[in-house]
């Protein structure tokens, strides 16, 4: 049981949730990169791992501005999303079908992050915390770019996945 007494408390809670979410991703993305067959998808996951480490440090900065230590919350949603990613990693499927599955899992993650960062950024703006709002906006834009790159990759990989099925009749 915890209490939130103000919008500032709620912003801190959102930042702690995101901090855990991003740390879960630092662990999950190398596994997704390893499971991916397509070279561009593999590289995309590795690139996003590097960005995700920066996202972690921006959240530490944001919490630092609020004089709070980053820690102590579990993002339950990211736990579930990572589990779905694990299912895609473990599924027995043609390579391109697994890649298409991994993209679906990754885009769910990006959309969750986009929603969470948008919410937190707007709280920060309302609170007059311009520097925090700016940090969150930067990350939000990188999540959106990642989502768009995945959409472009899916166009190619979905066709390959469909061909893999056709070949086996
Ligand atoms: Fe992120
Ligand atoms: Fe992300």
């Amino acid at each position: 049981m915890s209490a939130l007494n103000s919008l500032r408390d709620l912003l801190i809670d959102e930042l702690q949730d995101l901090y855990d979410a991003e740390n879960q991703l630092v662990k999950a993305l190398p596994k997704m990169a390893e499971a991916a067959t397509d070279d561009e998808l593999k590289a995309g996951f590795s690139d996003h791992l590097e960005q995700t480490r920066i996202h972690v440090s921006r959240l530490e900065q944001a919490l630092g501005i609020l004089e709070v230590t980053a820690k102590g919350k579990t993002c339950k949603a990211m736990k579930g999303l990572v589990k779905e990613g694990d299912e895609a990693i473990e599924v027995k499927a043609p390579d391109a079908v697994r890649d298409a599955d991994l993209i679906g899992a990754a885009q769910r993650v990006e959309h969750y992050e986009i929603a969470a960062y948008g919410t937190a950024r707007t709280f920060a703006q309302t609170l007059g915390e311009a520097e925090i709002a700016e940090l969150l906006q930067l990350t939000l834009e990188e999540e959106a770019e990642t989502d768009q790159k995945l959409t472009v990759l899916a166009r190619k990989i979905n066709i390959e996945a469909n061909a893999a099925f056709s070949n086996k009749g």
Side-chain angles (χ1 to χ4, degrees):
M1 259 300 278
S2 57
L4 300 171
N5 296 312
S6 63
L7 188 62
R8 187 180 186 277
D9 284 356
L10 182 55
L11 173 62
I12 291 167
D13 193 66
E14 297 278 0
L15 295 175
Q16 297 286 22
D17 187 274
L18 273 166
Y19 181 72
D20 180 67
E22 296 282 20
N23 276 299
Q24 289 186 46
L25 283 173
V26 167
K27 289 184 197 150
L29 280 165
K31 292 188 240 169
M32 293 181 79
E34 205 191 308
T37 301
D38 181 89
D39 285 339
E40 275 182 86
L41 183 59
K42 226 182 229 303
F45 284 140
S46 297
D47 291 348
H48 199 53
L49 172 62
E50 292 319 306
Q51 283 184 325
T52 298
R53 293 188 210 278
I54 295 166
H55 299 172
V56 169
S57 72
R58 284 191 193 127
L59 289 165
E60 283 166 350
Q61 265 179 271
L63 285 160
I65 292 166
L66 296 167
E67 295 176 341
V68 173
T69 309
K71 63 152 174 59
K73 196 169 181 199
T74 300
C75 176
K76 295 189 189 98
M78 191 58 74
K79 271 202 158 175
L81 291 167
V82 166
K83 264 187 205 162
E84 291 198 1
D86 285 341
E87 284 177 8
I89 289 168
E90 286 158 22
V91 75
K92 195 171 173 297
D95 289 343
V97 173
R98 182 182 306 95
D99 281 354
D101 198 355
L102 288 167
I103 290 172
Q107 289 196 284
R108 282 171 171 78
V109 167
E110 296 315 315
H111 281 241
Y112 175 79
E113 291 184 299
I114 289 164
Y117 277 105
T119 297
R121 177 217 49 213
T122 303
F123 289 164
Q125 284 169 343
T126 303
L127 290 162
E129 295 285 355
E131 199 182 342
I132 296 175
E134 178 64 24
L135 286 165
L136 299 174
Q137 181 64 30
L138 279 175
T139 298
L140 174 53
E141 284 164 16
E142 288 172 6
E143 309 294 16
E145 272 170 35
T146 299
D147 180 55
Q148 283 158 17
K149 282 182 193 163
L150 287 165
T151 294
V152 170
L153 270 175
R155 283 194 198 113
K156 174 184 79 171
I157 289 171
N158 290 349
I159 291 166
E160 289 169 10
N162 190 37
F165 177 77
S166 309
N167 290 345
K168 283 186 181 143

